[in-house]
């Protein structure tokens, strides 16, 4: 008997300490005073709890975050917090207004169950209940649907509808996504209207696209605007006011300092993956034959910081390029490697005469060699390589093929970004006349400051000395401060008071539309 008493005492204390179990509970007091209706004084929390749990279970299949919602109400004893706090002051009506007006963001109010919430509010407001038990299913469903709509509307506007990492294989930008703690805090908020007002996107780009979206008559134009509105909803890393952006569909690099353009130039980016890439990749996975492997040179989307410049760079040729191109060129022309200034390494040791290698003895999918192209005019990276940390071995670089910048579609590289004005870009990065002149001399250019001419003369003398072999080597330079770099993908954006549109070069709009159209 003593053991039983020890078990029941904490339960009694717990119940008595919880305001939800007081008679009448807060919801009963609030509705009783508002409607001047005595039935609410008989509000039975035990009966309501059972109905609310059943209501949640019946609705959660349509909820995006059912576990979070259930966790919140489990920790709050199933109390109808939103109805208690936000029905009388009209905040739930404001929620409905925002949901109905969600079309300005490209959403269909139906996805939030807006009509059902509005009808439940009307039923509760009509106050035609004869018994308090009749109010339980109405309050329970109103609470559950309002919680779900409130969360979804907030998450869609603050973080975007889609997580780009789930649909794009080469999307390496860390975007912030909703978490359970933030959503529970949202449900616990004390001012719903302020929250709804504050989450409206405030970026100039978003608002310009939104304005154009509301004016557009063409469905295809609306679709492009909507997709890019979604991209601007994604919570990107903080770039600060001074950063470099490469927009792949625009084939352009732009350095921005606040609203000013420091420098802008054309770029060449990675080529689009083969048509039918996904199916071909499955075939390759089965066969293991490199002839079945589809090409994918798309430049990844990423965020990093440019921290170094390499003048006269060495190109460490990726395995994929060695297998698909270098191997075949070497088999076709035994002098290709030496003529292209490409060194061959076996077990990290330089092979003195690569032209003597019998390439037919080696399978290209198991090449035991590494390839590096030395510094010089013929180097595929040109005279400059701009380095930033990333997992894809991607960098910005010069090129010895300048004709590519004359093309309309400049998706032609193996994945790295070729930039049109590497020298000017290096000058802006260094932001130091002394270092800039050092860099110029390293690539055999006259210094800007004539007091540095002795550097140039010494270098030219070394190159002209026939008694000593001059070996061109990479030289490293660092900006005073690393500059943020964002490689991104926008097919529509605002510029000079109008909307610019670009082709969907990688087909990313198509993939994003497949995910987002169900919310329209």
């Amino acid at each position: 008997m003593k053991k039983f008493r020890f078990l029941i005492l904490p339960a009694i204390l717990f119940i008595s300490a919880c305001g939800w179990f007081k008679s009448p509970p807060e919801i009963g007091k609030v509705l009783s005073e508002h409607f001047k209706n005595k039935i609410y004084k008989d509000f039975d929390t035990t009966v309501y709890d059972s109905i609310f749990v059943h209501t949640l279970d019946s609705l959660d299949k349509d909820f995006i975050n059912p576990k979070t919602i259930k966790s919140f109400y489990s920790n709050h004893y199933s109390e109808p917090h939103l109805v208690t706090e936000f029905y009388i002051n009209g905040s739930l009506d404001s929620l409905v207004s925002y949901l109905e007006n969600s079309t300005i963001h490209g959403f269909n109010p139906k996805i939030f169950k807006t009509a059902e919430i509005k009808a439940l509010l009307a039923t509760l407001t009509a106050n035609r209940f004869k018994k308090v038990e009749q109010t339980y299913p109405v309050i329970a469903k109103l609470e559950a649907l309002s919680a779900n709509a409130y969360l979804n509307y907030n998450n869609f506007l603050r973080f975007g509808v889609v997580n780009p990492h789930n649909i794009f294989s080469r999307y390496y930008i860390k975007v912030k996504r909703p978490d359970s703690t933030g959503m529970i805090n949202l449900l616990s908020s004390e001012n719903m209207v302020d929250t709804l007002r504050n989450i409206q996107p405030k970026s100039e780009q978003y608002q310009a696209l939104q304005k154009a979206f509301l004016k557009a008559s063409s469905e295809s134009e609306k679709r492009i605007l909507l997709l890019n509105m979604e991209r601007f909803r994604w919570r990107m890393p903080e770039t600060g006011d001074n950063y470099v952006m490469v927009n792949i569909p625009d084939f352009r690099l732009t350095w921005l300092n606040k609203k000013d353009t420091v420098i802008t130039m054309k770029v060449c980016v990675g080529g689009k993956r083969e048509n039918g890439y996904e199916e071909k990749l499955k075939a390759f996975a089965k066969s293991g034959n490199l002839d079945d492997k589809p090409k994918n040179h798309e430049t990844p989307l990423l965020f990093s910081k440019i921290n170094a410049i390499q003048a006269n760079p060495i190109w460490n040729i990726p395995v994929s390029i060695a297998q698909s191109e270098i191997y075949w060129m070497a088999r076709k022309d035994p002098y290709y490697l030496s003529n292209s200034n490409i060194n061959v390494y076996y077990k990290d040791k330089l092979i003195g005469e690569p032209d003597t290698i019998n390439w037919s003895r080696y399978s290209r999918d198991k090449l035991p060699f590494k390839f590096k192209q030395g510094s010089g005019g013929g180097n595929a990276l040109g005279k400059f390589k701009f380095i930033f940390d990333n997992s894809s071995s991607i960098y910005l670089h010069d090129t010895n093929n300048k004709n590519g910048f004359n093309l309309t579609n400049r998706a032609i590289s193996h994945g790295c970004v070729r930039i049109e004005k590497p020298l000017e870009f290096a000058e802006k990065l260094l932001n130091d006349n002394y270092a800039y002149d050092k860099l110029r001399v390293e690539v055999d250019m006259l210094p800007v400051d004539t007091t540095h001419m002795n550097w140039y003369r010494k270098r030219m003398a070394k190159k002209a000395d026939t008694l000593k072999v001059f070996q061109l080597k990479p030289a490293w330079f660092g900006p005073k401060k690393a500059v943020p770099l964002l490689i991104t993908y926008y097919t529509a954006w605002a510029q000079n008071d109008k909307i610019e549109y670009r082709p969907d070069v990688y087909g990313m709009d198509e993939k994003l539309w497949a995910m987002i159209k169900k919310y329209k």
Side-chain angles (χ1 to χ4, degrees):
M1 184 65 182
K2 287 182 179 180
K3 290 183 178 179
F4 179 76
R5 281 197 322 222
F6 282 122
L7 288 173
I8 199 169
L9 182 59
I12 294 172
L13 291 173
F14 174 77
I15 291 172
S16 62
C18 176
W20 172 236
F21 291 94
K22 290 179 181 178
S23 182
E26 189 65 22
I27 183 67
K29 292 179 181 178
V30 168
L31 296 181
S32 177
E33 290 181 14
H34 177 71
F35 289 116
K36 309 300 181 185
N37 192 331
K38 295 180 179 179
I39 65 169
Y40 291 106
K41 291 184 178 180
D42 298 325
F43 200 98
D44 189 325
T45 59
T46 304
V47 177
Y48 172 81
D49 287 352
S50 176
I51 292 173
F52 181 72
V53 170
H54 176 75
T55 301
L56 268 186
D57 289 339
S58 67
L59 294 173
D60 70 359
K61 65 181 183 299
D62 297 322
F63 287 1
I64 295 177
N65 299 286
K67 290 183 180 179
T68 301
I69 292 175
K70 285 186 174 182
S71 174
F72 172 80
Y73 285 104
S74 175
N75 291 329
H76 289 77
Y77 320 108
S78 298
E79 181 182 3
H81 171 72
L82 300 185
V83 176
T84 303
E85 295 294 325
F86 303 125
Y87 170 67
I88 302 302
N89 66 14
S91 294
L92 286 181
D93 292 306
S94 295
L95 173 63
V96 168
S97 295
Y98 275 98
L99 298 179
E100 288 179 326
N101 202 36
S102 63
T103 52
I104 66 172
H105 300 291
F107 302 131
N108 187 334
K110 288 183 179 179
I111 65 173
F112 302 109
K113 306 288 185 184
T114 307
E116 290 184 56
I117 296 172
K118 189 174 184 178
L120 289 164
L121 279 170
T123 300
L124 185 60
T125 302
N127 191 31
R128 295 172 182 169
F129 306 106
K130 301 300 181 182
K131 297 180 179 179
V132 72
E133 292 84 357
Q134 296 172 333
T135 70
Y136 298 158
V138 174
I139 294 172
K141 194 170 186 180
L142 176 60
E143 181 73 21
L145 291 181
S146 297
N148 183 60
Y150 186 38
L151 285 186
N152 291 344
Y153 183 80
N154 175 82
N155 291 343
F156 290 174
L157 289 190
R158 290 187 61 216
F159 304 99
V161 175
V162 174
N163 183 347
H165 294 130
N166 293 340
I167 56 175
F168 302 125
S169 60
R170 294 195 174 189
Y171 194 101
Y172 302 128
I173 303 171
K174 291 182 179 179
V175 294
K176 189 174 181 181
R177 297 297 300 165
D179 58 54
S180 57
T181 301
M183 286 187 278
I184 285 173
N185 289 339
L186 183 70
L187 291 176
S188 304
S189 63
E190 296 181 357
N191 195 316
M192 179 180 281
V193 174
D194 279 356
T195 300
L196 292 168
R197 186 184 301 115
N198 291 334
I199 62 175
Q200 301 303 309
K202 296 175 178 61
S203 82
E204 291 181 8
Q205 279 292 339
Y206 185 92
Q207 291 181 353
L209 290 172
Q210 185 181 37
K211 186 177 180 180
F213 173 77
L214 295 172
K215 288 183 177 180
S217 56
S218 161
E219 285 302 315
S220 59
E221 185 181 8
K222 282 186 174 182
R223 171 174 164 173
I224 296 170
L225 292 165
L226 178 59
L227 292 171
N228 288 281
M229 285 164 63
E230 169 68 3
R231 290 185 174 112
F232 279 105
R233 286 192 287 256
W234 294 338
R235 295 283 293 279
M236 308 289 267
E238 290 293 331
T239 59
D241 291 331
N242 187 46
Y243 66 98
V244 173
M245 183 178 75
V246 173
N247 184 15
I248 290 173
D250 193 28
F251 303 119
R252 182 162 291 276
L253 175 151
T254 305
W255 186 330
L256 295 166
N257 189 353
K258 296 183 179 177
K259 292 185 179 181
D260 296 328
T261 299
V262 177
I263 191 172
T264 183
M265 65 190 73
K266 296 176 182 178
V267 299
C268 297
V269 299
K272 183 182 179 180
R273 63 178 64 183
E274 284 186 26
N275 291 330
Y277 177 82
E278 302 294 343
E279 292 304 316
K280 291 178 181 179
L281 196 62
K282 291 177 183 177
F284 169 66
K286 290 181 180 179
S287 70
N289 188 336
L290 279 178
D291 292 331
D292 295 332
K293 187 176 182 180
K295 292 180 181 178
N296 181 7
H297 297 310
E298 292 181 357
T299 298
L301 277 61
L302 55 84
F303 174 75
S304 188
K305 291 185 178 181
I306 303 172
N307 51 44
I309 304 170
Q310 190 182 52
N312 301 314
I314 289 176
W315 183 30
N316 296 307
I317 300 174
V319 173
S320 60
I321 297 177
Q323 291 175 335
S324 63
E325 297 180 26
I326 305 299
Y327 173 80
W328 293 117
M329 297 298 291
R331 285 194 63 167
K332 182 179 179 181
D333 178 4
Y335 302 107
Y336 166 75
L337 294 170
S338 55
N339 289 339
S340 302
N341 194 20
I342 296 176
N343 295 321
V344 183
Y345 296 81
Y346 178 73
K347 294 184 177 178
D348 295 326
K349 291 185 178 179
L350 178 65
I351 296 176
E353 297 182 6
D355 299 337
T356 63
I357 298 173
N358 184 359
W359 294 100
S360 62
R361 292 178 52 195
Y362 302 97
S363 169
R364 69 186 179 108
D365 60 339
K366 295 181 180 178
L367 278 178
F369 307 106
K370 292 181 180 179
F371 303 85
K372 295 184 179 183
Q373 188 175 41
S375 304
N379 189 286
L381 306 184
K383 295 181 179 180
F384 304 102
K385 179 167 70 170
F386 303 90
I387 299 168
F388 45 91
D389 294 336
N390 67 96
S391 60
S392 303
S393 299
I394 296 295
Y395 34 83
L396 309 181
H397 67 87
D398 182 19
T399 177
N400 53 34
N401 179 16
K402 305 294 185 181
N403 292 329
F405 297 112
N406 296 324
L407 300 174
T408 301
N409 184 342
R410 297 191 287 277
I412 58 174
S413 81
H414 286 98
C416 289
V417 179
R418 305 173 190 173
I419 65 174
E420 181 187 23
K421 304 172 185 176
L423 185 63
E424 292 94 325
F425 189 61
E427 181 182 14
K428 298 295 182 184
L429 275 173
L430 292 174
N431 194 27
D432 181 274
N433 294 336
Y434 182 89
Y436 178 57
D437 271 355
K438 281 280 189 183
L439 178 138
R440 288 177 64 91
V441 170
E442 284 293 335
V443 294
D444 300 339
M445 296 181 69
L446 290 169
V448 176
D449 187 340
T450 55
T451 63
H452 297 153
M453 280 298 295
N454 61 315
W455 301 341
Y456 181 75
R457 294 190 190 100
K458 286 181 180 179
R459 182 176 178 84
M460 291 300 104
K462 284 184 179 180
K463 293 188 75 172
D465 190 346
T466 57
L467 299 178
K468 295 181 181 179
V469 177
F470 178 82
Q471 186 177 2
L472 191 63
K473 295 180 180 179
W476 291 85
F477 298 85
K480 291 181 179 179
K481 186 177 180 181
V483 178
L485 169 69
L486 183 64
I487 300 179
T488 188
Y489 197 96
Y490 294 111
T491 53
W493 68 94
Q495 185 174 312
N496 298 327
D497 298 323
K498 69 174 185 176
I499 303 298
E500 294 285 340
Y501 296 92
R502 294 295 183 272
D504 181 20
V505 63
Y506 286 169
M508 295 181 77
D509 276 5
E510 186 178 343
K511 279 192 173 182
L512 182 56
W513 178 248
M515 296 297 295
I516 205 174
K517 63 182 179 181
K518 59 186 175 184
Y519 298 97
K520 186 176 179 300

